[in-house]
Amino acid sequence: MKKTICKLSKSDLRDKLQELATIVSSPQYLCAKCGRAANKKRNLCKSVQL
């Protein structure tokens, strides 16, 4: 994915649902700005480790 999941619009989220499911499975990081979670630091804009 080129953008972080923090910057995806609602329509982008719907269109990339399968890829998003992989990114958010077993989250290790949380975005301090928007609260989204991901398994890799690079998928979030302001990541903090859980």
Side-chain angles (χ1 to χ4, degrees):
M1 193 173 294
K2 292 182 181 181
K3 295 181 183 180
T4 63
I5 62 172
C6 306
K7 300 200 185 273
L8 294 176
S9 66
K10 287 182 184 180
S11 64
D12 287 338
L13 292 172
R14 265 185 264 122
D15 294 342
K16 299 177 188 224
L17 190 59
Q18 197 67 8
E19 187 177 357
L20 184 63
T22 304
I23 291 171
V24 300
S25 66
S26 302
Q28 299 295 314
Y29 296 91
L30 182 69
C31 178
K33 185 175 178 181
C34 69
R36 291 186 173 156
N39 54 13
K40 294 184 181 169
K41 186 177 182 174
R42 69 174 186 241
N43 292 314
L44 302 166
C45 61
K46 297 201 183 257
S47 61
V48 292
Q49 192 166 15
L50 293 175

